[in-house]
Amino acid sequence: DQQVKQNSPSLSVQEGRISILNCDYTNSMFDYFLWYKKYPAEGPTFLISISSIKDKNEDGRFTVFLNKSAKHLSLHIVPSQPGDSAVYFCAANPGNTPLVFGKGTRLSVIA
Amino acid sequence: NAGVTQTPKFRILKIGQSMTLQCAQDMNHNYMYWYRQDPGMGLKLIYYSVGAGITDKGEVPNGYNVSRSTTEDFPLRLELAAPSQTSVYFCASSYRRETGNEQFFGPGTRLTVL
């Protein structure tokens, strides 16, 4: 039973436009949500996180939005750059147990 | 700091062979994790540890064993390798902090079982 779902396996966006990556979850007890970025042949790296008590967190070109009533979060990248092409994983923190990861969305930014 | 290091980077095993994937971290993190990532799939947790001497099963522990004798090291043992264990294995570590258990990952070990 997938607690964290990324329903879009891939996304293509033109350079300079906005990339929106989506994530849905089922467990209302998650207290933090995180996004990780993964390049081929490398381990995932932490990108940005948001507490469940907030609805927005911004870090440079990256913004994460949380809609608790819909159990949905999204990562916005503006403007998108070719170097953003990677697989993005959504993850949720259930508290005292390890993070729960989604299956990932492959973002391709086309120059 | 080297962060999280993993050895080897690549390995080919024959069915039934055994091996140990090494993982070390120099950040003094209490928590360490082993994941596997199959093609087109997400990260599946194999085992984790919340401190030296303490380990717990994750989502897919069958066919694997771990030990945590020191804070720094968390080796993953494969006994009787099977083709289903062909995957990329990632080790990670973290510390508890208010931003939500951010994990630091190693570069991965690509394992093929033939």
Side-chain angles (χ1 to χ4, degrees):
Chain A
D1 182 27
Q2 262 190 289
Q3 296 187 68
V4 176
K5 297 180 184 179
Q6 293 178 259
N7 292 319
S8 297
S10 61
L11 174 69
S12 290
V13 172
Q14 278 198 313
E15 181 180 6
R17 307 291 289 266
I18 184 171
S19 295
I20 301 176
L21 294 94
N22 294 305
C23 179
D24 297 298
Y25 62 95
T26 57
N27 186 345
S28 58
M29 300 303 292
F30 289 139
D31 59 357
Y32 273 95
F33 300 89
L34 303 89
W35 285 92
Y36 283 78
K37 177 178 180 178
K38 183 184 179 304
Y39 291 118
E42 294 183 10
T45 55
F46 170 74
L47 188 58
I48 190 169
S49 65
I50 186 168
S51 165
S52 61
I53 63 172
K54 297 189 175 181
D55 55 19
K56 177 182 175 181
N57 188 27
E58 194 171 351
D59 184 1
R61 297 186 297 114
F62 302 91
T63 303
V64 56
F65 295 92
L66 176 61
N67 182 335
K68 286 182 66 177
S69 61
K71 293 190 176 71
H72 176 83
L73 66 154
S74 60
L75 174 68
H76 292 213
I77 307 173
V78 183
S80 301
Q81 299 174 354
D84 296 329
S85 297
V87 176
Y88 290 79
F89 291 101
C90 173
N93 186 357
N96 291 325
T97 54
L99 294 178
V100 179
F101 285 85
K103 290 187 176 182
T105 296
R106 181 179 302 278
L107 173 65
S108 300
V109 179
I110 304 162
Chain B
N1 284 352
V4 179
T5 57
Q6 292 183 239
T7 56
K9 289 190 176 181
F10 305 94
R11 184 73 185 266
I12 298 175
L13 283 181
K14 293 183 179 178
I15 294 172
Q17 285 186 319
S18 301
M19 77 164 293
T20 299
L21 281 67
Q22 301 292 344
C23 174
Q25 54 91 9
D26 61 359
M27 296 173 282
N28 203 31
H29 287 170
N30 284 326
Y31 292 70
M32 295 188 75
Y33 314 83
W34 273 106
Y35 294 90
R36 60 178 286 174
Q37 185 187 18
D38 299 327
M41 302 296 287
L43 297 166
K44 294 187 177 180
L45 183 66
I46 305 171
Y47 270 96
Y48 69 102
S49 169
V50 299
I54 306 169
T55 61
D56 276 296
K57 294 179 181 179
E59 182 184 359
V60 289
N62 291 344
Y64 307 94
N65 278 301
V66 293
S67 59
R68 185 92 182 273
S69 56
T70 66
T71 300
E72 294 78 19
D73 300 297
F74 191 40
L76 177 72
R77 178 82 178 161
L78 278 73
E79 305 282 2
L80 298 174
S84 62
Q85 293 179 304
T86 294
S87 190
V88 181
Y89 291 83
F90 292 103
C91 178
S93 70
S94 70
Y95 49 92
R96 299 296 298 179
R97 67 178 207 178
E98 63 181 9
T99 56
N101 198 22
E102 171 190 330
Q103 294 184 12
F104 294 81
F105 284 82
T109 294
R110 184 175 296 274
L111 175 68
T112 302
V113 182
L114 300 174

